[in-house]
Amino acid sequence: MIDLYTWTTPNGRKASVMLEELGLPYDAHPVNIGKDEQFAPDFLKISPNNKIPAIVDHDTGASVFESGAILIYLAEKTASPLLPAKGEARTRTLEWLMFQMGGVGPMFGQFYHFSNSAPAEIPYAIKRYSEESKRLLAVMDKRLGDVDYLAGAYSIADIATYPWVKALSSKFAALELGDGAIPKVKNWLDRVGDRDAVKKGMDVPA
C-alpha cells in the first residue's frame, strides 16, 4: 500500500495519474497548500522541501518527494514500460521528463503566478513568462509532429507534462490550444486525456 500526500495542482496530479496507470493500491491524503498544511512538522518528515506530492511506500518503507522522482521510483518499482529499463528509449523518456521538470513546470507556474496571483501587475514578468510558455508549447508541437507521445511511446514524460498543459490551456485564452498555432499539442492533450487512468488520476483528490 502507498500513501500519497497531494493536492489539486499539476504536480500533485502527476503522482495520482501514475498510480492509476500502474494499478497500484494507494490512499490519497489531501495536503491543503492554501491553508499551509505543507508546513506541518509531520509532513516535513516526508517532504523536506515542504512541497507536494510525496509518497510513503509501505511495501518497502521508502518515502519519496519531488514529483519527477516519484514517477521514476514507481516505474522502477513495477518495472513498467512507462520508463524503459535501458537504451535510447530510456534516454528519450528522461530527456522529455526533464524538459517538463526544468521548463514546462517552472515557466508555466511563473506565468500563472504573475498573471493571476501577484499582488501587483508586472507587465515585464507576464510578457517574459507568457512568451517562454508559448515557446515551450511550440517545442512540444514540433516534437509531436513526428511522434504520438513525447518520448515516442506513452511514458512518464507524458504523465508529467499533461497536467501542466491541461491546467494552462483551461485558464488562459492567450494560450488556447485550439487556435491553430499548436494543433499537435491539442491532439496530444486529447489523446492523453482520453485514457481512463488519466481521467481518474486527475480527480485525486476530489
Side-chain angles (χ1 to χ4, degrees):
M1 177 63 73
I2 290 174
D3 283 324
L4 167 64
Y5 298 86
T6 188
W7 192 237
T8 58
T9 68
N11 282 338
R13 301 304 197 196
K14 296 179 196 176
S16 51
V17 168
M18 183 65 172
L19 287 163
E20 292 291 343
E21 287 283 5
L22 296 173
L24 291 172
Y26 69 98
D27 287 329
H29 305 276
V31 178
N32 190 332
I33 62 177
K35 296 181 179 179
D36 290 339
E37 291 179 359
Q38 72 273 28
F39 297 108
D42 286 347
F43 184 65
L44 178 62
K45 295 176 184 177
I46 302 168
S47 180
N49 197 29
N50 296 114
K51 302 287 187 180
I52 60 93
I55 63 170
V56 175
D57 184 350
H58 294 285
D59 295 336
T60 64
S63 63
V64 187
F65 73 102
E66 289 294 334
S67 59
I70 290 170
L71 296 182
I72 293 171
Y73 172 83
L74 292 174
E76 292 183 340
K77 170 186 171 71
T78 57
S80 171
L82 293 170
L83 175 60
K86 61 182 179 180
E88 183 180 353
R90 182 181 178 88
T91 300
R92 294 289 86 80
T93 301
L94 292 175
E95 277 183 338
W96 287 99
L97 174 64
M98 297 309 152
F99 171 82
Q100 188 283 310
M101 299 296 297
V104 169
M107 296 301 104
F108 285 20
Q110 292 292 348
F111 176 47
Y112 177 84
H113 173 79
F114 284 108
S115 298
N116 193 67
S117 303
E121 183 175 334
I122 306 174
Y124 169 78
I126 294 172
K127 182 175 185 291
R128 171 181 171 81
Y129 292 115
S130 66
E131 289 184 352
E132 179 61 6
S133 295
K134 290 178 181 179
R135 189 191 71 80
L136 291 167
L137 288 169
V139 172
M140 287 183 61
D141 201 68
K142 182 177 180 180
R143 171 64 174 168
L144 292 166
D146 299 324
V147 292
D148 286 339
Y149 299 101
L150 291 172
Y154 182 68
S155 72
I156 60 173
D158 302 288
I159 293 171
T161 309
Y162 174 84
W164 280 100
V165 179
K166 179 67 174 176
L168 197 69
S169 66
S170 66
K171 291 180 183 296
F172 296 101
L175 294 176
E176 171 58 49
L177 298 183
D179 64 2
I182 43 176
K184 298 174 184 67
V185 172
K186 175 63 167 59
N187 292 339
W188 168 85
L189 196 70
D190 293 340
R191 191 157 52 246
V192 175
D194 281 342
R195 297 177 67 90
D196 288 340
V198 173
K199 293 175 183 177
K200 292 177 182 178
M202 290 293 287
D203 283 336
V204 178

